[in-house]
């Protein structure tokens, strides 16, 4: 099922979806699909089915950027659209209107996972401070949903695994200042891409650096 709402940066941590390049082609996923944030960045093809005059032809491609929380006070078929075990996509109004009439509000859909097609490389935004590096990964192609990230500073020969802080924000407690940084990213399909020296020695917090792509 699916309804429309205007989505912000949301539970995946992407922040402003327009400046990050996602625009309105995004979805908030119900608990059954969100998988505690591990689905962030995954891409889906969705089309309206079995809703008669409310459906429009064609399909849309969206990236998972948010979580649609359950509402246990409402039944699953009358407001609790994101309650487990429902598989529900909450869409922004502009993208919803590509597959269904505005007045429909909620329609049954068919969906499938698809490869994410992104322009340019993976973007690494480094936030935090010394000994607490919080790296936000955006614009990830291929499977889109990340299962592991590692960093290697230029003063080390070893890859250091980062831990998922929330959504697609990954955390390192190492002191990485003054080193050029390389990142190794693995997605749910087992593919790995390495972005060598993506952040120069003079990198600073709050900046975004572009690496390789799947």
């Amino acid at each position: 099922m699916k309804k429309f709402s205007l989505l912000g940066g949301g539970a995946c941590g992407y922040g402003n979806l327009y400046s990050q390049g996602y625009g309105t082609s995004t979805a908030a996923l119900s608990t059954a699909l969100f998988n505690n944030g591990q689905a962030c960045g995954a891409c889906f093809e969705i089309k309206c089915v079995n809703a008669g005059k409310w459906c429009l032809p064609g399909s849309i491609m969206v990236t998972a950027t948010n979580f649609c929380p359950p509402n246990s006070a409402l039944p699953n078929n009358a407001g609790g659209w994101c309650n487990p075990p429902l598989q529900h996509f909450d869409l922004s109004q502009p993208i919803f209107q590509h597959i269904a009439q505005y007045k429909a509000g909620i329609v049954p859909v068919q969906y499938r996972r698809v490869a994410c097609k992104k322009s340019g490389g993976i973007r690494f935004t480094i936030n935090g401070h010394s000994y607490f590096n919080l790296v936000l990964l955006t614009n990830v192609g291929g499977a889109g949903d990340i299962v592991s990230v590692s960093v290697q500073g230029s003063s080390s020969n070893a890859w250091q695994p980062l831990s998922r802080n929330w959504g697609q924000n990954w955390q390192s407690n190492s002191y990485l200042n003054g080193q050029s940084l390389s990142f190794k990213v693995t997605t749910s399909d087992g593919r790995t891409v390495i972005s060598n020296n993506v952040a120069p020695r003079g990198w600073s917090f709050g900046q975004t650096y572009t690496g390789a792509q799947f």
Side-chain angles (χ1 to χ4, degrees):
M1 299 179 105
K2 173 164 21 68
K3 63 179 178 179
F4 60 83
S5 68
L6 194 59
L7 307 178
C12 292
Y14 291 132
N16 187 310
L17 296 176
Y18 289 92
S19 63
Q20 297 289 9
Y22 295 104
T24 57
S25 296
T26 59
L29 307 186
S30 63
T31 302
L33 295 170
F34 191 66
N35 196 18
N36 294 316
Q38 293 184 37
C40 289
C43 295
F44 298 86
E45 180 182 13
I46 302 172
K47 65 178 180 178
C48 178
V49 296
N50 302 324
K53 66 178 183 179
W54 301 114
C55 286
L56 298 177
S59 62
I60 56 173
M61 305 288 186
V62 297
T63 302
T65 59
N66 206 347
F67 174 54
C68 183
N71 186 343
S72 58
L74 296 174
N76 289 9
N77 62 350
W81 311 113
C82 291
N83 292 346
L86 297 182
Q87 297 178 339
H88 181 93
F89 296 88
D90 194 26
L91 303 177
S92 66
Q93 180 180 328
I95 196 69
F96 177 84
Q97 289 184 262
H98 284 282
I99 59 169
Q101 299 285 349
Y102 170 80
K103 291 183 179 180
I106 300 165
V107 294
V109 299
Q110 282 185 350
Y111 74 91
R112 65 185 181 113
R113 277 287 300 272
V114 293
C116 299
K117 297 178 181 179
K118 304 298 182 184
S119 177
I122 300 171
R123 292 194 287 266
F124 302 85
T125 302
I126 307 175
N127 295 305
H129 51 78
S130 301
Y131 296 106
F132 179 75
N133 308 278
L134 196 62
V135 184
L136 170 64
L137 278 72
T138 56
N139 200 53
V140 181
D145 51 342
I146 300 167
V147 296
S148 68
V149 182
S150 298
V151 64
Q152 184 182 75
S154 54
S155 65
S156 171
N157 292 322
W159 287 101
Q160 303 174 37
L162 277 65
S163 59
R164 189 191 301 270
N165 186 291
W166 63 286
Q168 288 300 2
N169 283 281
W170 295 77
Q171 175 183 336
S172 168
N173 294 327
S174 299
Y175 186 79
L176 300 173
N177 301 47
Q179 306 176 61
S180 60
L181 304 179
S182 301
F183 291 95
K184 181 165 61 175
V185 178
T186 301
T187 45
S188 62
D189 58 356
R191 296 175 63 198
T192 297
V193 66
I194 295 176
S195 300
N196 288 311
N197 301 313
V198 63
R201 288 182 182 274
W203 66 266
S204 58
F205 292 105
Q207 297 299 308
T208 300
Y209 305 93
T210 302
Q213 185 58 276
F214 286 95

